[in-house]
């Protein structure tokens, strides 16, 4: 597999629109202008320590890290001990392997559907919050139900319901990336949440012990707590992002700009001129300012009042 994948890995696409050889000059301009809408700019080769310091005091950094940690703990545990949980229902080794196949298929379908739904809603938090409900219900059912030949099918369905948690982690990565600007800050934020994810994947399997079979109460209770915390943290995060949007709206009004804006980066069909990422807003007499004019200044999300946080 490595020998097959390596040549494909060498055919990497250009990291910047201006370096894409398959685009004409006009197409490169259009591609760059479309990047203006999200106010995240392009890659910068300059390391900025002020963005690192801002990262350390930004509450979002700790919210993203906590969200990824509590998401990764159940993921690491169930990925390692999932077959043993099924085997604890009373199935033999070969039947366990067979019944674990639908669980993996559900993971793919749920991940794709959650991405599609968030795109349609233009919101992340309802999807993430909704994905925590089935695992909470499934883990509670697994803890309350007995283990016997008559409950095998019900236990298996409850275990399959846990698969909804697999759609959360990609959504968290996407959510954090959409709400962070400044190249240095984005790089460090990605590193921070990756460390948090790795820590969760390490802790997760340690919560399951073979002597706890067939109920694995310690592991399931830990996972249940993590999913409840994840749901609560999602609500806290969206409330904080909404407050940040209100603060930026007030700053735009003070700067003589329009306070209430529509995030054009979330629109499927951009409004206004083709390729124009700048907000088309009515100007007052003598007003010369244009929205998103700082999109390529490598400003952080906290310093650019035109930045709109994705809820």
């Amino acid at each position: 597999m490595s020998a097959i994948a390596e040549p494909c890995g060498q055919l990497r696409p250009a990291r910047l629109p201006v370096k894409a050889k398959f685009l004409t000059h006009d197409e490169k301009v259009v591609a760059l202008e479309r990047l203006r809408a999200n106010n995240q700019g392009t890659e910068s080769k300059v390391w900025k320590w002020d963005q690192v310091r801002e990262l350390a005091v930004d509450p979002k950094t700790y919210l993203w890290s906590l969200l990824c940690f509590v998401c990764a703990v159940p993921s690491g545990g169930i990925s390692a001990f999932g077959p043993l949980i099924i085997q604890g229902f009373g199935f033999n080794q070969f039947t366990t392997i067979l019944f674990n196949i639908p669980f993996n298929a559900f993971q793919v379908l749920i991940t794709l559907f959650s991405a599609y739904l968030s795109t349609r809603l233009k919101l992340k938090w309802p999807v993430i919050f909704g994905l925590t409900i089935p695992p909470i219900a499934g883990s509670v059912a697994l803890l309350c139900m007995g283990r016997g030949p008559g409950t095998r099918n019900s236990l298996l369905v409850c275990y399959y319901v846990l698969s909804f948690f697999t759609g959360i982690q990609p959504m968290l990565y996407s959510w954090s990336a959409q709400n962070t600007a400044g190249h240095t800050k984005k790089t460090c934020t990605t590193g921070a949440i990756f460390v948090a994810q790795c820590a969760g994947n390490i802790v997760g399997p340690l919560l399951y012990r073979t002597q706890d079979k067939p109920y694995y109460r310690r592991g399931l209770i830990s996972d249940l707590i993590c999913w409840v915390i994840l749901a609560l943290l999602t609500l806290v995060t969206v409330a904080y992002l909404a407050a940040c949007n209100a603060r930026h709206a007030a700053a735009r009004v003070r700067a003589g700009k329009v306070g209430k804006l529509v995030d054009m980066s979330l629109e499927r069909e951009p409004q206004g001129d083709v390729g124009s990422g700048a907000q088309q807003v009515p100007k007052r007499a003598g007003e010369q300012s244009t929205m998103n004019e700082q999109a390529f200044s490598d400003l952080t999300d906290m310093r650019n009042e035109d930045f709109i946080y994705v809820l």
Side-chain angles (χ1 to χ4, degrees):
M1 290 297 295
S2 299
I4 297 174
E6 180 59 27
C8 298
Q10 297 300 322
L11 301 175
R12 292 173 295 182
R15 302 184 66 177
L16 296 175
V18 293
K19 295 183 179 180
K21 298 180 180 179
F22 56 88
L23 295 179
T24 65
H25 175 75
D26 292 340
E27 290 172 338
K28 291 178 182 179
V29 173
V30 171
L32 278 174
E33 285 301 315
R34 286 180 175 173
L35 289 176
R36 187 188 299 274
N38 62 16
N39 279 282
Q40 291 183 319
T42 57
E43 181 183 13
S44 172
K45 300 296 184 180
V46 180
W47 183 267
K48 298 183 178 180
W49 284 106
D50 59 321
Q51 295 189 12
V52 178
R53 289 189 290 269
E54 179 179 308
L55 173 80
V57 299
D58 189 351
K60 296 195 301 299
T61 304
Y62 304 98
L63 288 172
W64 301 135
S65 298
L66 285 173
L67 284 166
C68 286
F69 176 79
V70 296
C71 176
V73 169
S75 176
I78 294 178
S79 297
F81 281 84
L84 294 180
I85 295 176
I86 297 178
Q87 196 169 357
F89 300 160
F91 298 107
N92 60 40
Q93 182 178 0
F94 296 104
T95 307
T96 296
I97 296 174
L98 179 65
F99 283 146
N100 203 43
I101 295 176
F103 186 84
N104 297 325
F106 288 149
Q107 293 182 19
V108 176
L109 295 176
I110 291 168
T111 301
L112 294 175
F113 177 74
S114 60
Y116 169 79
L117 185 59
S118 67
T119 302
R120 295 288 296 182
L121 295 176
K122 302 175 185 177
L123 294 170
K124 289 290 192 296
W125 78 267
V127 180
I128 296 174
F129 183 82
L131 289 173
T132 63
I133 305 302
I136 291 174
S139 58
V140 170
L142 290 175
L143 289 168
C144 296
M145 295 177 64
R147 300 294 188 270
T151 59
R152 287 181 180 179
N153 294 337
S154 299
L155 289 169
L156 193 60
V157 171
C158 293
Y159 176 74
Y160 288 159
V161 169
L162 298 182
S163 63
F164 278 82
F165 79 88
T166 57
I168 300 176
Q169 193 163 312
M171 295 292 295
L172 290 177
Y173 268 100
S174 173
W175 201 19
S176 64
Q178 285 182 294
N179 287 305
T180 308
H183 183 71
T184 303
K185 186 178 181 181
K186 284 174 68 80
T187 302
C188 293
T189 299
T190 302
I193 62 178
F194 180 73
V195 170
Q197 176 193 339
C198 292
N201 286 331
I202 293 172
V203 173
L206 300 177
L207 300 174
Y208 286 83
R209 301 177 301 184
T210 54
Q211 59 264 38
D212 294 333
K213 65 179 182 180
Y215 289 92
Y216 295 101
R217 291 190 181 277
R218 173 180 164 178
L220 288 174
I221 290 175
S222 301
D223 292 347
L224 173 61
I225 294 173
C226 286
W227 285 319
V228 171
I229 294 175
L230 180 58
L232 296 176
L233 281 176
T234 301
L235 298 178
V236 172
T237 302
V238 71
Y240 180 73
L241 293 176
C244 290
N245 276 337
R247 184 171 65 247
H248 278 191
R252 288 193 295 270
V253 171
R254 290 194 298 269
K257 302 177 181 178
V258 175
K260 186 176 181 180
L261 297 176
V262 176
D263 189 352
M264 301 303 297
S265 66
L266 299 178
E267 299 295 328
R268 298 183 64 181
E269 295 182 4
Q271 303 173 8
D273 296 337
V274 176
S276 177
Q279 292 279 355
Q280 301 298 321
V281 296
K283 297 182 180 180
R284 302 182 183 92
E287 183 181 354
Q288 299 295 328
S289 62
T290 303
M291 302 305 299
N292 300 336
E293 60 185 359
Q294 304 181 100
F296 299 112
S297 300
D298 196 27
L299 296 178
T300 63
D301 52 278
M302 298 179 69
R303 298 185 181 183
N304 184 3
E305 68 272 8
D306 294 335
F307 190 91
I308 302 174
Y309 293 96
V310 179
L311 303 183

